Amino acid sequence: MKRFRRTSRLIAPFVAITVVLAACGGPPPVPDTKNLDELYQAAKAEGEVVWFAPKPEAQMQPAIEAFKKKYPGIEVKYTNKKAPDLVTQLNVEQAAERVTFDVSNAGGLTVLPSQPMAAKVDWSNYEVPSEQIFAHDFVYVWAVPKVWAYNTNVITAGDAPNSWDALLEPRWNGGRVSVESRGSFMTVWLLDPALGSGPGLDYAARLAEQAPHYTENTTQAHTLIVSGQTPVGTDLINLVLEDKAKGAPVAVAPVSPTNANKSYLFVPEGAPHPAAGRLLTAFLASKEGQAALVDTYNSIIPTDTDCTEAATNRVIGALCDAGVEWYSETDISQYEQFSEFFPEVEDALGTSVN
């Protein structure tokens, strides 16, 4: 895979270099900025930022408006695109030296393939908290806790499963539980030392014996739960809270522990608006950016179970109210383990398609 690399500082006027690079078909230059003020001026000269992430635009709109208010003169163009599709598109575009977006998303199994495609950025220059910088070039901006959810019109809170073992009870046999076939809901079995990958694979095989209703992704499982076609299933707490706020009959089941999957933003190497991409990413990691994201259930949360902010963060509040403990990733080596574990889970579930 061809990589773009900067071998020197900008040593000629910005416009002149832009013309030369455009004529050669190479990536645009990256302004040599050392703080947010300088970055803003460079981003404003670019005029726009193109952001791709696997979230509905309505969820991102409050953050987009907050960014435009703080940094006028920069248009934000947003596209909702699945994370695996982002990896594929960026791989092709970087090989062709024609990258079309400035901010990308990585999480779960897309972290490792995204890492070599990320631009080298010193995020500390742009006031990104050190605890939100991951693997040097990624910035942690929100968590996507995986939960088990249930339809409140079909079963009562008292009848909802309250543990992983409870999901194996005979009453859930025969398609009464929807399960994401890729097995990412099993992540916590690697992260929690009290569980473990071996017992996790045994559990997945036992779950398969229940003949669950398999779905291609968690969003499809969520749709089945909300409609009542399957009373219980794997879900994302962000989807549960969003639809619950609209009056949908869905709630978080007290199945614990779970994985609070971290999601990262990064600026691709060769991005068409590299300064604006850095500025938007830094803003979303800031207190102002997080304040704009939290109301749409997309903010960062503590790496492991901590209910201190339960009253002000609805994602944390919902997890704590349901009595769900969580674990998150802390090291790139864990993503390497995921790449080996998930195919084994698929084999145990009987959903592997190679």
Side-chain angles (χ1 to χ4, degrees):
M1 178 171 55
K2 188 167 182 178
R3 295 274 292 144
F4 304 119
R5 298 186 184 278
R6 299 196 307 277
T7 58
S8 64
R9 300 281 190 180
L10 294 179
I11 56 175
F14 178 81
V15 174
I17 291 182
T18 301
V19 171
V20 171
L21 285 174
C24 296
V30 180
D32 184 16
T33 57
K34 297 181 177 62
N35 56 57
L36 280 175
D37 290 337
E38 293 179 5
L39 186 64
Y40 173 41
Q41 295 307 315
K44 190 160 59 170
E46 293 172 348
E48 68 178 28
V49 58
V50 182
W51 177 16
F52 284 8
K55 294 282 186 179
E57 185 171 357
Q59 288 189 13
M60 299 295 101
Q61 198 59 42
I64 291 172
E65 294 303 321
F67 173 78
K68 291 168 65 176
K69 182 178 180 180
K70 184 174 180 65
Y71 297 111
I74 305 171
E75 185 63 29
V76 180
K77 296 182 179 179
Y78 181 83
T79 297
N80 178 2
K81 200 174 191 71
K82 294 179 180 178
D85 294 338
L86 280 172
V87 172
T88 300
Q89 180 174 337
L90 183 55
N91 189 23
V92 171
E93 291 184 351
Q94 285 188 334
E97 298 189 357
R98 289 291 187 274
V99 178
T100 60
F101 53 103
D102 308 299
V103 179
S104 189
N105 175 272
L109 285 179
T110 66
V111 168
L112 290 181
S114 295
Q115 191 178 22
M117 296 190 282
K120 304 305 176 187
V121 181
D122 186 351
W123 289 110
S124 62
N125 283 342
Y126 309 127
E127 302 177 18
V128 174
S130 59
E131 64 271 18
Q132 288 172 241
I133 301 172
F134 183 78
H136 304 294
D137 304 314
F138 292 153
V139 177
Y140 172 36
V141 287
W142 60 67
V144 189
K146 300 178 184 300
V147 295
W148 291 87
Y150 66 98
N151 186 296
T152 57
N153 284 345
V154 179
I155 58 177
T156 66
D159 288 333
N162 58 10
S163 69
W164 286 86
D165 284 341
L167 290 160
L168 301 178
E169 294 174 357
R171 61 186 173 130
W172 305 120
N173 282 356
R176 286 179 57 78
V177 173
S178 55
V179 172
E180 181 219 4
S181 62
R182 294 179 298 185
S184 67
F185 66 96
M186 294 290 296
T187 303
V188 71
W189 289 78
L190 271 182
L191 297 178
D192 182 358
L195 296 177
S197 60
L201 295 177
D202 291 341
Y203 181 89
R206 294 168 63 197
L207 182 62
E209 294 174 358
Q210 302 282 87
H213 185 119
Y214 292 116
T215 63
E216 182 179 346
N217 54 57
T218 311
T219 302
Q220 293 174 356
H222 171 75
T223 300
L224 292 174
I225 298 165
V226 171
S227 67
Q229 295 178 67
T230 56
V232 177
T234 56
D235 214 325
L236 301 176
I237 198 169
N238 316 69
L239 298 177
V240 173
L241 295 180
E242 182 180 28
D243 277 354
K244 186 177 180 179
K246 297 175 182 178
V250 61
V252 176
V255 176
S256 185
T258 192
N259 165 236
N261 180 45
K262 289 183 176 179
S263 188
Y264 311 96
L265 294 185
F266 67 94
V267 177
E269 192 75 46
H273 312 100
R278 285 159 169 76
L279 187 65
L280 176 61
T281 301
F283 172 77
L284 294 172
S286 70
K287 289 183 178 180
E288 290 174 273
Q290 287 294 302
L293 286 168
V294 70
D295 286 341
T296 55
Y297 322 110
N298 289 297
S299 63
I300 65 173
I301 68 172
T303 296
D304 295 329
T305 309
D306 183 347
C307 297
T308 305
E309 299 179 17
T312 56
N313 185 305
R314 283 179 281 183
V315 169
I316 298 174
L319 289 170
C320 293
D321 286 346
V324 176
E325 297 182 346
W326 68 88
Y327 294 84
S328 300
E329 306 86 354
T330 58
D331 188 85
I332 195 70
S333 65
Q334 292 172 313
Y335 291 98
E336 296 169 351
Q337 293 173 338
F338 297 161
S339 66
E340 298 175 359
F341 181 58
F342 290 153
E344 294 177 332
V345 171
E346 288 181 326
D347 285 340
L349 292 173
T351 58
S352 176
V353 292
N354 296 318

